[in-house]
Amino acid sequence: MKFVETRGTVLALGDVCDHCLGRQISLKYKGKPCEKIGAALRAAKKDADIAKNIRKKLKPYFSKDCPLCGGIFTRLEEFHPLIIEKMNEAQDFNSFLVGSRVPSTFKSAEDSLWQKIGSEYCEPLKRELNRVMGSWIEEQTGKKVDFSHPDANFLIDFERNRVELSLGPLFIYGRYKKYERGLPQTRWPCRECSGRGCKKCGGTGKQYLETVEELIAEPVLEKTGGKASSFHGSGREDMDARMLGTGRPFVLEIAEPLTRRLDLKQLEKEINERAAGKVGVSKLRFSDKDEVRLLKALRYEKTYDALIECAEPVTKKELSRLDLYFKGRQLMQRTPTRVLHRRADKVRKRRVISVKSKTVSEKEFRSVIKTESGTYIKELITGDEKRTRPSFSIILRKQCSCKELDVIGIHTLKPLFKGEKWER
Ligand SMILES: [Zn+2]
Ligand SMILES: [Zn+2]
């Protein structure tokens, strides 16, 4: 449809405002404000009477206000103080996004208009509102609209005349070490009461009083005034294993933080002091949701240090044969019996990269084992009733058990993002 006819059809609806007139073709003039396009279109002399004719034909309803927006654009300023109030509540957001809620009648008026004039160059009402209000906030604050990860979301409700604020999460990346055995990575609800709180858990609803997550998150929650935390680890070690070496990468997500202004060096120090002897963090920096996704998708090679006990004495010669045998060896690992209750029973192929063993006592030895991501180390040692093959027990021909296990290295395989190279 030609623009002149579009104009006719739109104006035939009634006292359409310049915003709404211009918006119907605004995608043709990107970057130009809709009201300017509308004013120009209205003033165009050519075929000016077409509008009148169509208006007669359609017998439209007339109203005082624009039938497409109800005159919203004349009262945007009424919302400015409401937005300022919410901006103060959001405190130090760096980026934001504006959304709009408009009466549904406007949506249907827009839809039926588009059926007549096509929607190739039309911008929806909400989009113009979001853009106009977004520019106003940018001017007021110097902060930028961010479509993917805004710190603050302002929802302007033009129906109820109010503004709602929701705060985007804050993400902090780091690496953690765990010095204490028996500490789970994340919170577990009490098995007795499923988290409601009972006698057994002393009303806490928790199966374990302390977790890596809470030891790290608590100081951050206090400092940010955030409502809740989620912990995204790049995998997890067994509860009874320590996490040493350079630590395990994680991203801590803080929901609805009141402030994002954090001195991360200071925070690191505080976490490490409060969790001394249990957990330590390093390399804290700000992060985002994309990195959480990456963290979950990446595969790592890992190095473990295991203290192993044999049912019978084991010789140095046997150990060096063991190391040689497992170098580059592929394993078939059926889901361990100890995790069968929560994981599907299937067989995985995993590769051992290297094993280096040394004698501790007649029946004990230590092995430094490097494997592909997702290898079950305890089962590699014990054999798990032949569910893992081959195993240390099978190759040594003596039943082996894992007395202590530490993760001593998590090696990222790919160079990463944001120009940063993850340490191997
Ligand atoms: Zn309008
Ligand atoms: Zn309980």
Side-chain angles (χ1 to χ4, degrees), residues 69-80 82-83 98-104 106 125-134 154-164:
C69 72
I72 282 177
F73 289 96
T74 61
R75 51 187 198 94
L76 291 186
E77 280 177 17
E78 292 170 26
F79 290 89
H80 290 171
L82 302 178
I83 295 173
V98 175
S100 300
R101 196 179 284 148
V102 297
S104 60
F106 296 151
L125 169 62
K126 281 187 184 184
R127 210 164 105 185
E128 191 192 355
L129 284 169
N130 295 344
R131 187 158 39 79
V132 170
M133 294 311 253
F154 299 100
L155 178 67
I156 307 174
D157 188 337
F158 290 96
E159 203 166 13
R160 296 183 188 80
N161 293 323
R162 64 180 190 201
V163 175
E164 291 165 24

Side-chain angles (χ1 to χ4, degrees), residues 260-309:
R260 291 161 200 273
R261 235 171 271 164
L262 291 173
D263 178 345
L264 293 182
K265 273 272 154 286
Q266 181 58 38
L267 184 66
E268 194 170 301
K269 212 176 131 207
E270 191 170 330
I271 293 170
N272 290 341
E273 273 167 17
R274 280 167 63 170
K278 298 170 188 165
V279 164
V281 295
S282 61
K283 299 188 186 302
L284 295 191
R285 61 168 166 75
F286 292 107
S287 177
D288 59 31
K289 211 185 188 95
D290 297 335
E291 195 168 20
V292 174
R293 231 169 277 140
L294 190 68
L295 204 72
K296 294 285 176 195
L298 277 174
R299 292 284 163 261
Y300 314 85
E301 287 175 357
K302 289 173 190 159
T303 307
Y304 299 84
D305 182 3
L307 177 62
I308 298 159
E309 188 178 43

Side-chain angles (χ1 to χ4, degrees), residues 347-361:
V347 178
R348 296 172 186 76
K349 281 185 194 167
R350 289 290 184 272
R351 194 171 292 280
V352 176
I353 296 158
S354 63
V355 176
K356 286 189 182 82
S357 309
K358 84 179 176 221
T359 304
V360 172
S361 66

Side-chain angles (χ1 to χ4, degrees), residues 301-308 322-323 326-329 331 351-358 365-372 375-382 392 402 404-411:
E301 287 175 357
K302 289 173 190 159
T303 307
Y304 299 84
D305 182 3
L307 177 62
I308 298 159
L322 181 81
D323 292 359
F326 276 100
K327 189 176 163 65
R329 179 70 58 182
L331 307 174
R351 194 171 292 280
V352 176
I353 296 158
S354 63
V355 176
K356 286 189 182 82
S357 309
K358 84 179 176 221
F365 64 99
R366 294 199 89 94
S367 291
V368 173
I369 308 166
K370 189 171 180 184
T371 65
E372 257 179 15
T375 309
Y376 290 108
I377 300 301
K378 287 174 184 164
E379 284 67 25
L380 163 64
I381 294 164
T382 62
F392 285 17
C402 178
E404 278 175 13
L405 187 65
D406 295 329
V407 185
I408 59 171
I410 293 183
H411 320 284

